[in-house]
Amino acid sequence: MDITDVQGYALSSPIEPAQDRPFHGGTRRLNKRDVVLVVIETQDGRRGFATAGASSSAMREYFEGDSQGTFADVVGGAVADALEGETINEITDSHDLLSDSNLPAHLRTEAISAVDVALWDLRGKELGTPVYELLADDYGTEPSTEMPLYASGGMYMEPEGYAEQAEVLEAEGFFGYKYRPGIGPDGDRRTVELLADTTDEMEFMLDSHTWWKLRRQYGEEVVRDLVKHATDHGAYWIEEPVEPDDHAGYTALAETGAPLAGGESKESPADLVALGETGAVDFLQGDVRHHEGFSGCAPAIEFCNGRDVEFVPHNFGTWLGLLANAHLVAAAPDVRLLEYPVFENDPLIDGQPDPGMYPFELAFDIIEGEPTIDDGILTVPDKPGLGIDVNLDIISDYPFVEGPWTEFHYNGDE
């Protein structure tokens, strides 16, 4: 592949009016969601696509002060300088080229991730083959293009609100419901109890980063009690109950028999594998958008293969990111489950009350058409590359808005 052009477009999907969500010790304000669309073009006129940019999932609201707009400039600047005019034979050649740049480590990892996905999209288009077929050849597997989805939603509300969302999503056929606790220890316990009573066939999971990430942290004993409470009530997993690098904390909680998940916040593929090597997590959560693409997730998948730890991709963005991760699930050995983020006014969900976390229209508008989802099962598109058409009208329809996408305001601050 002869690279002729690399572009990054910073986009914003406003939340109007901004939403305030009370949590334990303060209020979180949601202003917008940001996306960086990366477009790589080759000499033959083909284009490959990926999403990228600063992510709270990478445990930075911004890259140490850099905004999404800054990262788009990085793509159009240092990344373009490293790749334009180069011939890419092996996709990992692009990793080497970017590693030789002067980008800081965190920006380099995010750049490699987006470029890797876009180049796999290009390679599939070049060969007339879906990405999952190419990946399956590498893994030596027979791809499975249908996969169960678990719904990812539930952000800071009364316990009954979580239960209402779970009822809607179970009726839609989702494998599970993952929600964000953090409304206070008593409210978190009550939510677990309600979900255990409300759900029938559907599993429930806790995405627990609020317990340690925010200023008024719960503390070790409270977290241990909540993890045990969730385990006793049948939680499918408890995700990120301690800080990402606190391997000792993961190990101590695992000794209680709790099903733990983590990895999305790890800053490199090697760090992701290192968490798996502790033996403390049952579910290892890499993401093609943050762990150096399809190529970078391979070591973690190979680590999990044949062990009692399941690779389950993290995915918390647009339908483009969803379908990119879906190709990985379709091809990788012993990987079967995919995260489906639920935003307000989702065209594929009809239930009431609306189970979406907040509006994110760009998440849907970024592609032409819709993913094929029936009764909670996603079918991966079989057209070449990622199998989707990106709606480039979003570049003008969703101009970038300066400022933080989310803000945390703590009780007692002036």
Side-chain angles (χ1 to χ4, degrees):
M1 293 179 284
D2 297 319
I3 308 300
T4 57
D5 190 58
V6 178
Q7 297 290 336
Y9 300 96
L11 310 171
S12 293
S13 189
I15 299 172
E16 297 175 336
Q19 295 187 3
D20 289 334
R21 300 294 179 86
F23 59 82
H24 182 62
T27 301
R28 179 175 184 176
R29 174 160 292 180
L30 301 163
N31 300 308
K32 58 173 180 165
R33 277 294 303 269
D34 293 332
V35 173
V36 173
L37 176 67
V38 175
V39 185
I40 300 179
E41 188 167 348
T42 57
Q43 192 172 40
D44 57 13
R46 294 188 178 93
R47 288 182 293 190
F49 299 95
T51 52
S55 165
S56 61
S57 297
M59 301 323 301
R60 296 183 180 90
E61 307 310 331
Y62 294 115
F63 285 122
E64 298 178 355
D66 296 337
S67 74
Q68 295 275 9
T70 302
F71 187 69
D73 292 339
V74 168
V75 173
V79 176
D81 290 344
L83 298 180
E84 288 177 356
E86 297 288 343
T87 297
I88 303 296
N89 295 314
E90 300 294 331
I91 289 173
T92 50
D93 292 345
S94 67
H95 298 215
D96 297 334
L97 290 167
L98 290 168
S99 294
D100 290 339
S101 70
N102 293 322
L103 286 172
H106 55 276
L107 293 177
R108 185 169 62 245
T109 297
E110 291 292 322
I112 289 173
S113 301
V115 167
D116 187 274
V117 171
L119 291 179
W120 278 96
D121 186 26
L122 276 166
R123 179 56 53 81
K125 290 170 179 174
E126 178 184 60
L127 299 176
T129 303
V131 167
Y132 65 76
E133 291 281 5
L134 301 177
L135 294 171
D137 287 344
D138 286 351
Y139 284 115
T141 59
E142 185 65 32
S144 175
T145 58
E146 294 185 349
M147 62 199 63
L149 301 172
Y150 74 87
S152 185
M155 179 181 287
Y156 313 150
M157 65 183 78
E158 292 299 315
E160 292 75 15
Y162 293 110
E164 289 175 353
Q165 284 192 350
E167 286 183 312
V168 171
L169 294 167
E170 182 162 27
E172 293 287 326
F174 285 100
F175 171 87
Y177 168 60
K178 187 173 80 176
Y179 69 99
R180 283 86 186 144
I183 58 174
D186 291 342
D188 287 350
R189 291 188 190 93
R190 176 61 178 155
T191 301
V192 164
E193 294 161 5
L194 282 176
L195 289 174
D197 290 340
T198 299
T199 55
D200 184 14
E201 297 298 322
M202 186 175 69
E203 305 287 353
F204 69 92
M205 306 90 154
L206 292 73
D207 188 351
S208 307
H209 58 268
T210 300
W211 295 351
W212 54 266
K213 183 180 179 184
L214 303 181
R215 184 185 301 171
R216 189 177 174 186
Q217 299 180 3
Y218 279 11
E220 183 177 331
E221 290 304 315
V222 172
V223 167
R224 188 178 182 88
D225 176 72
L226 287 169
V227 166
K228 184 178 186 303
H229 189 71
T231 303
D232 290 345
H233 284 79
Y236 193 70
W237 72 56
I238 301 100
E239 181 175 325
E240 287 196 324
V242 295
E243 294 190 46
D245 293 331
D246 184 6
H247 290 184
Y250 269 109
T251 299
L253 291 174
E255 290 171 353
T256 69
L260 303 181
E264 70 176 70
S265 302
K266 288 299 189 179
E267 295 188 358
S268 72
D271 290 339
L272 187 62
V273 172
L275 177 61
E277 289 174 339
T278 66
V281 295
D282 300 277
F283 303 92
L284 193 60
Q285 298 167 305
D287 187 334
V288 299
R289 297 169 307 135
H290 301 306
H291 293 115
E292 300 189 357
F294 296 111
S295 306
C297 285
I301 289 167
E302 290 163 0
F303 170 81
C304 293
N305 190 21
R307 289 184 169 90
D308 290 331
V309 55
E310 182 176 344
F311 187 92
V312 181
H314 166 263
N315 170 62
F316 197 70
T318 68
W319 277 351
L320 175 53
L322 170 79
L323 293 169
N325 274 299
H327 281 268
L328 185 66
V329 175
D334 294 331
V335 179
R336 64 183 183 90
L337 187 61
L338 182 59
E339 179 174 12
Y340 183 84
V342 181
F343 301 109
E344 289 181 18
N345 304 313
D346 187 316
L348 303 180
I349 297 176
D350 296 325
Q352 292 296 325
D354 191 322
M357 284 174 287
Y358 47 76
F360 186 13
E361 299 300 329
L362 175 56
F364 315 128
D365 291 345
I366 197 168
I367 66 170
E368 302 284 358
E370 299 174 345
T372 301
I373 298 174
D374 183 37
D375 198 27
I377 302 295
L378 170 69
T379 301
V380 188
D382 61 2
K383 295 192 299 183
L386 294 177
I388 54 180
D389 295 316
V390 171
N391 172 21
L392 292 176
D393 288 344
I394 59 172
I395 296 170
S396 57
D397 292 346
Y398 290 92
F400 182 67
V401 177
E402 290 287 350
W405 81 271
T406 186
E407 301 170 279
F408 293 93
H409 302 281
Y410 296 93
N411 297 339
D413 287 352
E414 294 183 0

